[in-house]
Amino acid sequence: MKTNWKEPDLLAIKQKLVDKLTLAGEIVMSAAIQKCPVDTGNLRGSITSEVNERDLSVRIGTPVEYAPYIEFGTGEYAENGEGRKGGWFFEYDGNKGEKGKRFTRGNKPQPFLRPALIENKEKIKGLMNAS
């Protein structure tokens, strides 16, 4: 049986989907903000949620260039095991007046985006299935 949808009905359905995506994005964004490690607050303050109405999708993320290093770790501690081995020195120009060379083997992962989604998966499914 074929249904002939009227334009106002299709627009109303699409708007309901956009509203649900917006709410789902806000749920995950809020959780990511809570889970995000804080040093200066720059990373936490940059997390956003953006709905693409054309594709009916939502993107939660951050434009901060070092976010993947926080999420996945670096050096010997990188999640995928492909980080630099053996450690390295780097120039440090700290925000507390400490300067000089430092040695590191990397940083352990501090995931905040993926857990925010995973922990809210069932809530989002319920939201999307609700009328």
Side-chain angles (χ1 to χ4, degrees):
M1 174 177 179
K2 185 176 178 181
T3 304
N4 291 322
W5 292 91
K6 295 182 174 145
E7 187 70 21
D9 294 331
L10 292 174
L11 290 174
I13 291 168
K14 182 176 182 179
Q15 187 57 54
K16 192 158 193 164
L17 286 170
V18 167
D19 292 346
K20 288 182 177 194
L21 286 170
T22 300
L23 186 53
E26 289 172 358
I27 289 168
V28 175
M29 180 183 74
S30 177
I33 288 170
Q34 292 300 312
K35 295 180 171 306
C36 184
V38 177
D39 183 14
T40 66
N42 183 53
L43 181 58
R44 179 178 276 179
S46 72
I47 299 170
T48 61
S49 172
E50 183 179 329
V51 174
N52 183 322
E53 292 186 25
R54 189 178 68 98
D55 295 339
L56 291 176
S57 63
V58 62
R59 179 188 178 277
I60 299 95
T62 170
V64 173
E65 65 184 32
Y66 57 85
Y69 305 126
I70 303 296
E71 182 82 13
F72 298 105
T74 61
E76 294 177 7
Y77 306 107
E79 270 188 16
N80 63 8
E82 296 179 17
R84 186 188 301 190
K85 308 291 188 239
W88 65 95
F89 285 94
F90 66 96
E91 289 292 328
Y92 181 75
D93 187 9
N95 57 1
K96 296 177 182 146
E98 304 167 12
K99 295 183 179 189
K101 287 192 180 234
R102 296 271 173 102
F103 180 80
T104 186
R105 294 188 183 279
N107 291 310
K108 293 180 180 176
Q110 299 176 72
F112 58 98
L113 286 169
R114 293 171 295 154
L117 174 61
I118 292 165
E119 292 170 13
N120 285 289
K121 187 176 178 181
E122 293 305 316
K123 185 186 279 189
I124 293 167
K125 278 184 184 179
L127 169 71
M128 293 309 220
N129 289 328
S131 6

